[in-house]
Amino acid sequence: MKPLPKPLQITVYQDVLCSWCYLADLRLETLKQEFGDLIRWRVRPYPLRVHDKRPTEKELRGLTEEVRRAQQEPEPVAKLLTTELWQGGDAPRTSIPALAALEAARLQGPAARGYLARAMQRAALEQGVNVTRTDVIFELASRVGLNMGPFSAAFHSQDTRKLILDEHQLASSRGVRGVPTLVIAGRWMVCGLRDVTEYREHILTCLGKLHTPRAGSSDRVVH
């Protein structure tokens, strides 16, 4: 009996404050259901704003323009995106607290992390709420049913923040420059928001290459 192939690992680097990542999440949900156990998905933090400092006016204009471009995408949720996060006077200084919350939630299982991530995306990107604020983070975590004692301990731990910074450094050393970025089987990289059809084609191509031995092959496809 022929053994089943190992699942293809796909690492998705994202920032919860990024409209493009929100849309990519929704598109990838379709493929998660479609490919099932053939794919093992990993979602890892890649903060676009690492340092704790107020965005400059130029940065705010750029961040606002990114949202306006994302609003032109075909998903119905794209029309719900708002620029208020960057124009409302309480713009996030850094992504780190929000991503630390997601890492703390992950300790209660991938579903817990997923529920909090979606709640934070909707609050930040559809309602313009600064989800890097501790009071907002704890309200959302409680609302999605997390066990707040362990969540609080993990969220406040310096180890959690160190993990995010180490992950950012490692990803950057491997060529990640922005989000969303998919790294497939540690060898192929797909950068930026893509149509579901294009994501599917990349995955099928990589599945074929991974399960077809090629002597001396060390190719790395970067899109």
Side-chain angles (χ1 to χ4, degrees):
M1 183 176 179
K2 185 178 180 181
L4 294 174
K6 291 183 179 179
L8 179 73
Q9 180 165 293
I10 299 180
T11 300
V12 183
Y13 289 100
Q14 61 177 219
D15 187 323
V16 74
L17 301 182
C18 173
S19 299
W20 302 114
C21 290
Y22 187 16
L23 297 176
D25 260 359
L26 298 175
R27 295 180 186 183
L28 292 174
E29 279 299 323
T30 299
L31 299 178
K32 289 177 183 179
Q33 297 177 25
E34 185 176 315
F35 284 99
D37 293 339
L38 287 174
I39 308 291
R40 183 170 65 246
W41 300 86
R42 295 176 67 245
V43 181
R44 304 307 301 138
Y46 189 86
L48 294 177
R49 298 194 60 77
V50 176
H51 303 294
D52 186 359
K53 62 180 182 179
R54 175 178 168 76
T56 65
E57 290 302 317
K58 181 178 179 180
E59 288 174 327
L60 290 172
R61 287 194 297 271
L63 291 161
T64 299
E65 181 57 31
E66 288 291 319
V67 176
R68 288 177 175 152
R69 288 173 52 209
Q71 289 171 337
Q72 305 307 310
E73 293 297 318
E75 284 85 357
V77 74
K79 306 300 182 289
L80 301 177
L81 297 175
T82 176
T83 60
E84 185 67 17
L85 182 65
W86 306 112
Q87 293 185 312
D90 185 27
R93 297 169 59 92
T94 172
S95 307
I96 300 294
L99 294 174
L102 295 183
E103 291 305 301
R106 186 192 304 279
L107 298 178
Q108 299 183 36
R113 189 255 174 220
Y115 292 143
L116 182 58
R118 190 53 46 85
M120 294 177 82
Q121 287 170 327
R122 287 172 174 159
L125 304 172
E126 296 181 16
Q127 301 168 28
V129 176
N130 182 355
V131 297
T132 69
R133 287 172 36 183
T134 301
D135 59 333
V136 174
I137 287 170
F138 275 72
E139 179 182 345
L140 293 174
S142 177
R143 191 180 300 172
V144 301
L146 297 186
N147 186 334
M148 296 304 294
F151 173 80
S152 177
F155 172 73
H156 288 295
S157 171
Q158 288 303 311
D159 289 342
T160 303
R161 282 156 175 75
K162 182 177 184 301
L163 180 152
I164 294 169
L165 295 174
D166 288 348
E167 190 82 52
H168 183 273
Q169 184 176 17
L170 178 62
S172 297
S173 72
R174 293 177 173 174
V176 177
R177 294 292 179 266
V179 291
T181 293
L182 275 62
V183 178
I184 307 175
R187 295 165 60 185
W188 301 284
M189 188 178 295
V190 181
C191 307
L193 180 68
R194 305 300 178 97
D195 292 335
V196 172
T197 299
E198 188 173 349
Y199 280 133
R200 183 185 294 111
E201 289 174 353
H202 288 310
I203 292 171
L204 288 171
T205 298
C206 295
L207 277 169
K209 289 183 177 181
L210 190 67
H211 297 139
T212 303
R214 295 172 58 189
S217 174
S218 60
D219 59 323
R220 177 187 175 100
V221 180
V222 179
H223 302 278

